[in-house]
């Protein structure tokens, strides 16, 4: 791997290892993770619960430093969180003491008032929260809160988004709508997205590539390219083939 | 009444008023049935209150008690919130101070009276100091708990958007801890109102607490004793009701989902 990455490379992870020490025991969470993410790519990190995929995402976002190895974004080593790359939690990450407008404008404190208001209006519309500008998160549904958090992240114009099982707490119908919304926004905004999920269908529906992770200590087992154009037909032969492939990769049976 | 049904508007007033009327009636008849010579009936108390009002003692005493609470509690709020936020923000500092705090906290403010008289003499300052002491610790503890209970997610989000530590404290940690802080402030005000009465019984010669002890000592005027008690109760209730309104502020209401 060359030190000056090609302009198409957004993020590189080199030999990432993570060991957590607690009460004298050390747990090997990540082992020798190597990954390259392209600019504007939608990458899903897929793995069983507790495998360490969230830990990997947290190291990429700069909230945790890996025990070994290095993560570089745009050729620069990651030293901490940065407003150019926003982490999106499950919908509980919105600030309950701020209105919809207040949440979306949260990261825009450096802008002038007029600019801020214009930016807020734009993202309120983009995520379909018109009419709820003055509402507080407690008055919104789970799906609306999740859209609000995405809007708060997008409002600062990040070139990267890290999403940590963002739709995990939503019901299955809302989850499908949210996936479509996210793809629509991604196509409009062209950010690089790293999306952590344990849902195989979600990964195959959304991603350009799926990084399948093993159990702890997590390594990347395989990277699956999803070569289906959007909008994807989830009944198509290719979709089912890719989905089955990942099932096998994870060592799961096809019958319940 | 079904607890799932929102009470109707008239019911919100009707039931408490009915309970008060029943309480007064019970009191009235208990005095008659027991044929007590000491305990006053509600009517005697009402006359006592009217007498106090005529001598213009009532408003003066209420004013004095409220002023002492305002000073002592006000100082506790002004000092306690920054101290509590700081200790919550720096867990290491809290670990140093916490044992001392936890030891001082269970000491009843009444136990401080002799010390406080040595320090400030007999007078207003002593009463104000006692109120300050009793309100300060609950406020600090509520702030520490509030700040340390702020979900890590909120802090991470704040840092992610590039906030400086000061901005993180003012824009994320403080608003996130505010409902908890308000609970602490309310508890502290309740305690302050309890302590002002005790302090006035010993340290000063005005106020509702003084009225209780003075009415008993000078002529066993139990009608005035009970009148003072009743005023203490009513004002305490009014202060608490006022405080509860704070929870309706929209930016803190999220923290009181199961409000009463």
């Amino acid at each position: 791997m060359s030190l000056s990455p090609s302009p198409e490379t957004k993020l590189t992870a080199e030999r990432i290892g993570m060991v957590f020490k607690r009460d004298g025991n050390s747990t090997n969470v990540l082992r020798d993770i190597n990954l390259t993410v392209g600019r504007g790519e939608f990458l899903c990190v897929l793995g069983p619960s507790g495998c360490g995929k969230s830990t990997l995402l947290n190291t990429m976002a700069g909230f945790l430093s890996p025990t070994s190895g290095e993560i570089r974004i745009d050729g620069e080593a990651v030293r901490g969180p940065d407003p150019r790359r926003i982490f999106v939690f499950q919908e509980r990450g919105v600030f309950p003491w701020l209105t919809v407008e207040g949440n979306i404008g949260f990261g825009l404190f450096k802008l002038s008032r007029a600019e801020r208001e214009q930016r807020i209006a734009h993202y309120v519309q983009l995520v379909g929260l018109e009419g709820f500008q003055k509402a507080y998160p407690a008055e919104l549904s789970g799906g609306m809160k999740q859209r609000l958090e995405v809007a708060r992240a997008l409002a600062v114009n990040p070139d990267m988004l890290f999403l940590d099982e963002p739709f995990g707490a939503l019901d299955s119908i809302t989850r499908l709508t949210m996936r479509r919304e996210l793809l629509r926004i991604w196509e409009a905004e062209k950010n690089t997205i790293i999306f952590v999920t344990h849902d195989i269908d979600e990964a195959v529906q959304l991603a350009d590539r799926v990084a399948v992770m093993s159990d702890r200590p997590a390594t990347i087992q395989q990277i699956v390219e999803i070569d289906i154009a959007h909008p994807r037909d989830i009944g198509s032969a290719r979709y089912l083939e890719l989905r089955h492939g990942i099932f096998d990769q994870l060592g799961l049976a096809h019958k319940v | 009444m079904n607890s799932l049904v929102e009470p109707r508007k008239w019911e919100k007033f009707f039931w408490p008023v009915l309970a008060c009327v029943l309480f007064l009636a019970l009191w009235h008849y208990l005095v008659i049935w027991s044929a007590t010579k000491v305990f006053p009936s509600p009517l005697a108390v009402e006359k006592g209150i009217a007498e106090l009002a005529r001598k213009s003692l009532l408003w003066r005493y209420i004013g004095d008690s409220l002023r002492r609470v305002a000073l002592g509690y006000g100082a506790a709020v002004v000092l306690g919130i920054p101290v509590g936020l700081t200790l919550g923000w720096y867990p290491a500092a809290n670990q140093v101070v916490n044992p001392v705090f936890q030891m001082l906290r269970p000491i009843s403010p009444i136990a401080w009276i002799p010390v406080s008289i040595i320090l400030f003499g007999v007078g207003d300052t002593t009463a104000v100091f006692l109120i300050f002491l009793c309100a300060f610790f609950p406020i600090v503890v509520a702030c520490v708990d509030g700040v340390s209970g702020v979900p890590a997610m909120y802090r991470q989000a704040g840092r992610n958007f590039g906030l400086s530590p000061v901005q993180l404290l003012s824009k994320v940690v403080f608003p996130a801890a505010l409902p908890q802080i308000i609970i602490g402030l309310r508890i502290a005000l309740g305690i302050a109102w309890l302590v002002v009465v005790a302090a006035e019984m010993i340290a000063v010669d005005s106020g509702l607490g003084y009225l209780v002890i003075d009415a008993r000592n000078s002529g066993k005027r139990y009608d005035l004793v009970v009148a003072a008690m009743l005023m203490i109760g009513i004002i305490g209730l009014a202060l608490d009701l006022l405080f509860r309104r704070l929870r309706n502020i929209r930016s803190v209401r999220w923290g009181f989902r199961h409000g009463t």
Side-chain angles (χ1 to χ4, degrees):
Chain A
M1 203 172 291
S2 70
L3 279 173
S4 52
S6 71
E8 281 73 44
T9 302
K10 182 69 189 167
L11 177 146
T12 57
E14 276 176 62
R15 308 186 65 83
I16 299 300
M18 188 68 150
V19 181
F20 284 132
K21 290 206 171 77
R22 185 183 287 170
D23 307 330
N25 297 323
S26 53
T27 317
N28 232 330
V29 181
L30 302 175
R31 193 174 62 198
D32 197 28
I33 303 239
N34 292 293
L35 189 64
T36 305
V37 183
R39 196 174 299 281
E41 187 179 358
F42 197 133
L43 179 89
C44 273
V45 178
L46 176 72
S49 285
C51 77
K53 52 195 190 306
S54 279
T55 306
L56 179 62
L57 197 67
N58 273 283
T59 57
M60 289 173 173
F63 290 126
L64 292 171
S65 334
T67 318
S68 59
E70 193 171 57
I71 289 166
R72 292 174 164 270
I73 295 175
D74 296 325
E76 243 177 83
V78 172
R79 294 270 175 263
D82 190 302
R84 287 173 298 176
R85 322 184 264 273
I86 300 293
F87 195 102
V88 177
F89 305 88
Q90 288 190 1
E91 92 266 9
R92 291 168 288 123
V94 295
F95 298 130
W97 58 88
L98 294 176
T99 59
V100 165
E101 282 182 332
N103 266 288
I104 297 178
F106 181 81
L108 306 176
F109 50 93
K110 285 184 183 135
L111 299 186
S112 73
R113 198 194 159 94
E115 261 184 297
R116 192 164 61 229
E117 276 170 8
Q118 188 219 331
R119 199 77 82 79
I120 292 170
H122 174 76
Y123 285 99
V124 162
Q125 203 207 359
L126 184 76
V127 300
L129 285 171
E130 299 103 324
F132 291 93
Q133 286 94 329
K134 306 282 181 218
Y136 282 81
E139 299 156 311
L140 305 178
S141 69
M144 288 162 96
K145 276 187 265 192
Q146 191 61 66
R147 277 184 279 163
L148 174 58
E149 200 183 334
V150 170
R152 182 181 73 184
L154 291 171
V156 297
N157 253 334
D159 41 42
M160 250 187 125
L161 286 179
F162 301 105
L163 296 104
D164 188 6
E165 299 188 18
F167 309 145
L170 305 177
D171 64 86
S172 59
I173 295 167
T174 313
R175 220 178 297 158
L176 274 173
T177 325
M178 289 299 298
R179 286 178 200 154
R180 199 161 48 222
E181 295 277 294
L182 182 65
L183 284 172
R184 179 176 63 80
I185 291 166
W186 173 60
E187 273 156 17
E189 303 268 319
K190 312 233 187 306
N191 330 72
T192 309
I193 293 183
I194 300 187
F195 187 110
V196 161
T197 180
H198 57 242
D199 184 328
I200 297 171
D201 281 297
E202 186 160 73
V204 181
Q205 285 164 24
L206 291 173
D208 292 329
R209 289 188 304 152
V210 179
V212 182
M213 296 188 80
S214 69
D215 232 327
R216 265 202 328 237
T219 52
I220 294 177
Q221 274 186 4
Q222 198 195 3
I223 292 185
V224 181
E225 190 137 346
I226 310 295
D227 49 2
I228 316 172
H230 292 287
R232 287 177 182 165
D233 175 1
I234 59 174
S236 73
R238 183 64 185 146
Y239 177 90
L240 294 172
E241 189 187 341
L242 286 164
R243 186 172 172 277
H244 284 182
I246 294 174
F247 258 93
D248 291 339
Q249 188 59 237
L250 287 168
L252 296 171
H254 293 265
K255 292 192 175 118
V256 178
Chain B
M1 261 196 311
N2 187 334
S3 64
L4 291 174
V5 177
E6 187 83 355
R8 262 162 289 188
K9 206 151 196 178
W10 63 268
E11 280 182 317
K12 271 195 200 164
F13 297 98
F14 179 75
W15 297 110
V17 168
L18 183 71
C20 284
V21 170
L22 286 176
F23 171 74
L24 287 174
L26 185 69
W27 173 7
H28 180 74
Y29 286 106
L30 277 178
V31 168
I32 291 174
W33 288 329
S34 64
T36 171
K37 295 272 183 290
V38 187
F39 203 85
S41 72
L43 284 171
V45 171
E46 193 257 297
K47 276 188 196 132
I49 293 176
E51 184 189 329
L52 287 172
R54 220 169 28 247
K55 289 186 191 159
S56 68
L57 279 177
L58 185 65
W59 295 116
R60 215 184 85 206
Y61 281 175
I62 290 175
D64 283 347
S65 292
L66 284 175
R67 181 173 47 79
R68 288 178 189 124
V69 167
L71 286 171
Y73 180 75
V77 171
V78 169
L79 275 167
I81 291 180
V83 168
L85 291 178
T86 312
L87 292 179
W89 187 249
Y90 298 105
N94 189 39
Q95 279 189 346
V96 173
V97 185
N98 196 42
V100 180
F101 266 31
Q102 295 304 337
M103 192 197 69
L104 290 175
R105 215 154 67 99
I107 301 174
S108 159
I110 317 294
W112 282 89
I113 289 178
V115 176
S116 155
I117 288 178
I118 292 170
L119 290 173
F120 303 108
V122 172
D124 250 10
T125 320
T126 287
V128 170
F129 174 70
L130 291 172
I131 294 160
F132 166 78
L133 266 186
C134 75
F136 180 71
F137 291 110
I139 292 174
V140 170
V141 171
C143 290
V144 172
D145 289 351
V147 170
S148 49
V150 172
M153 212 188 330
Y154 294 156
R155 294 184 196 220
Q156 283 191 345
R159 280 174 60 209
N160 201 170
F161 285 105
L163 265 58
S164 67
V166 174
Q167 286 173 318
L168 193 60
L169 187 62
S170 65
K171 290 184 167 192
V172 175
V173 174
F174 182 71
L178 195 54
Q180 191 76 30
I181 294 173
I182 287 177
I183 292 173
L185 290 176
R186 182 178 163 205
I187 292 170
L189 184 61
I191 299 173
W193 189 244
L194 288 176
V195 166
V196 71
V197 173
E200 283 170 347
M201 286 182 166
I202 292 162
V204 290
D205 54 7
S206 71
L208 291 169
Y210 171 75
L211 178 60
V212 170
I213 214 77
D214 184 53
R216 186 209 166 270
N217 288 345
S218 52
K220 296 208 180 343
R221 288 289 305 276
Y222 284 100
D223 55 337
L224 298 186
V225 170
V226 177
M229 286 168 66
L230 213 56
M231 295 317 293
I232 291 165
I234 289 168
I235 292 166
L237 174 70
L239 289 176
D240 197 57
L241 285 177
L242 251 143
F243 224 97
R244 279 198 206 184
R245 299 186 76 104
L246 283 182
R247 302 198 295 191
N248 294 330
I249 298 171
R250 294 190 78 199
S251 59
V252 300
R253 200 158 56 185
W254 59 274
F256 304 98
R257 302 303 297 157
H258 312 286
T260 42

